[in-house]
Amino acid sequence: MTLLSHSNLTQPAIFELDGRWMARWSDCDKKILSQARKQLQGELKGKLSKRCTHVKSHGGVKKSIRLLVRAIPEFSYAARFDVARYYDSIDHDVLLLQLKDMQVSSYSQDIVRQYLALPDRRKLGRGMIAGGSLSPLLGAVMLTALDKAMEVKVRTGAIWYIRYMDDFLVLAKTRHQFRQTMKQVHRVMRQLKLTLHRKQKCFIGKTKIGFDFLGYQVCPNHKLHPSAESMRRLTTRYRRLYEQGVSVNRLRQYLDRWCCWLWGGLGGLVSRQGGAQKYWQWLQIQTTLNSKKNQTLSLT
């Protein structure tokens, strides 16, 4: 693929959607970014950790969960984290330095520099738009230092590690290994100028308690179940459709698609007790309770 030696992006329209900053690029810029993404993917091939599973051909959510279920019985301790306001916190200089260290072409570095700088109207030198064509790939690059540090420990058998974008999980066999690994995680985060969620969206404890990860509730030697967050999203979307007055068939189709996501790609690892009917009945109850709550609030 032949690329121009230099391309200038134009200022995109910036808008907020669901609490995240998005950019509306011109048609010309979209072509440049699409071309740049393909080149960057080629330049990063073999340089991004296989344990970063949101990258194309690295397996995604379902592979992460399959590997986790296989590994978890051997480990006693778990720590699940995600980065607080990940995209908003990405330091431009830190990210660009990593691309340079990975020997990415000057063309790709220049495009990424513009991609980061143009939406940064306040000139803070940090932050990246969500939903952009380069953002998932750059999100993988930003935490490469963490991947490398954890892979060293994985090879010793002391820990197990997996990452999906900024959601990552560490398993350890002993308390000492666990503490040492946590210190290293926080040290890498400081170097990258990133902050982890301390209380919300994190879990630190024994694996036998069970924990949520990538939409599933995981517990050693037990079937998987949908996480609390997955159920919350299911209910929210269902209520929205219900309030829009869609047909019962449409509501049931939505639930069937959700169940296909829940069970798909995981064989017999996910509990199917009660089938889709169990979730259908649960949604009816939740919708009724919500309606009664709204009626009560309107009367007070």
Side-chain angles (χ1 to χ4, degrees):
M1 178 175 58
T2 302
L3 288 173
L4 299 173
S5 59
H6 182 75
S7 297
N8 285 324
L9 299 174
T10 56
Q11 179 67 52
I14 307 299
F15 61 99
E16 191 174 3
L17 180 64
D18 296 330
R20 300 194 299 173
W21 290 106
M22 315 287 283
R24 188 176 291 109
W25 301 92
S26 68
D27 290 342
C28 180
D29 286 343
K30 287 178 182 178
K31 291 179 181 178
I32 293 173
L33 290 172
S34 176
Q35 203 173 21
R37 185 190 71 247
K38 293 175 182 177
Q39 175 159 321
L40 190 57
Q41 284 175 334
E43 293 172 351
L44 292 173
K45 189 174 182 179
K47 299 177 182 179
L48 297 174
S49 172
K50 289 292 185 181
R51 292 180 177 272
C52 176
T53 59
H54 78 273
V55 175
K56 185 178 180 180
S57 79
H58 285 199
V61 169
K62 298 309 175 99
K63 183 177 181 179
S64 300
I65 296 298
R66 290 195 302 270
L67 293 174
L68 171 58
V69 171
R70 189 186 308 164
I72 196 172
E74 300 178 21
F75 296 87
S76 300
Y77 299 91
R80 188 208 72 229
F81 291 108
D82 76 346
V83 179
R85 298 186 65 83
Y86 184 44
Y87 277 12
D88 291 342
S89 303
I90 288 177
D91 185 278
H92 298 176
D93 290 338
V94 172
L95 177 56
L96 289 167
L97 181 59
Q98 291 190 72
L99 290 172
K100 184 177 180 180
D101 290 344
M102 290 178 168
Q103 299 182 329
V104 165
S105 69
S106 58
Y107 174 87
S108 293
Q109 290 183 54
D110 182 58
I111 289 294
V112 170
R113 188 178 291 106
Q114 295 180 62
Y115 181 81
L116 296 172
L118 283 173
D120 183 19
R121 292 181 174 178
R122 297 170 63 187
K123 307 301 180 185
L124 299 174
R126 66 173 183 271
M128 180 171 69
I129 57 169
S133 58
L134 298 184
S135 295
L137 199 54
L138 297 178
V141 170
M142 187 66 186
L143 288 176
T144 297
L146 177 66
D147 297 337
K148 290 181 177 179
M150 295 299 101
E151 284 177 335
V152 171
K153 287 183 171 289
V154 168
R155 287 193 287 270
T156 69
I159 71 162
W160 185 89
Y161 167 80
I162 203 82
R163 173 167 75 93
Y164 187 94
M165 188 58 81
D166 65 311
D167 290 307
F168 63 93
L169 176 70
V170 178
L171 305 178
K173 292 181 178 179
T174 69
R175 189 185 298 271
H176 174 72
Q177 292 167 340
F178 190 57
R179 288 176 174 173
Q180 291 300 111
T181 304
M182 291 302 96
K183 289 180 181 178
Q184 189 168 16
V185 166
H186 289 293
R187 184 161 55 248
V188 173
M189 289 296 111
R190 286 194 297 271
Q191 293 170 353
L192 296 176
K193 301 181 182 180
L194 297 172
T195 303
L196 299 175
H197 277 115
R198 294 287 183 156
K199 295 182 180 180
Q200 294 181 337
K201 299 184 179 181
C202 79
F203 171 86
I204 300 175
K206 293 188 175 182
T207 55
K208 66 180 181 181
I209 299 174
F211 53 87
D212 293 348
F213 186 61
L214 299 181
Y216 291 90
Q217 186 183 77
V218 186
C219 192
N221 304 312
H222 287 76
K223 294 280 190 179
L224 296 166
H225 293 270
S227 68
E229 179 63 15
S230 290
M231 294 303 295
R232 185 194 68 78
R233 291 181 179 181
L234 169 67
T235 305
T236 299
R237 176 60 175 159
Y238 179 91
R239 283 175 179 167
R240 190 175 298 146
L241 291 171
Y242 177 82
E243 290 167 359
Q244 291 172 358
V246 303
S247 67
V248 173
N249 286 339
R250 174 89 179 275
L251 291 171
R252 191 60 193 245
Q253 286 172 4
Y254 166 65
L255 175 61
D256 289 342
R257 287 195 299 271
W258 182 84
C259 288
C260 286
W261 163 81
L262 179 69
W263 297 325
L266 294 173
L269 298 178
V270 187
S271 172
R272 295 201 179 203
Q273 185 177 4
Q277 187 63 24
K278 177 180 69 173
Y279 297 111
W280 178 254
Q281 292 173 350
W282 187 83
L283 287 168
Q284 308 311 301
I285 294 171
Q286 294 302 310
T287 303
T288 301
L289 290 174
N290 188 62
S291 297
K292 290 182 178 179
K293 180 181 178 180
N294 290 337
Q295 288 175 5
T296 301
L297 289 174
S298 66
L299 293 173
T300 58

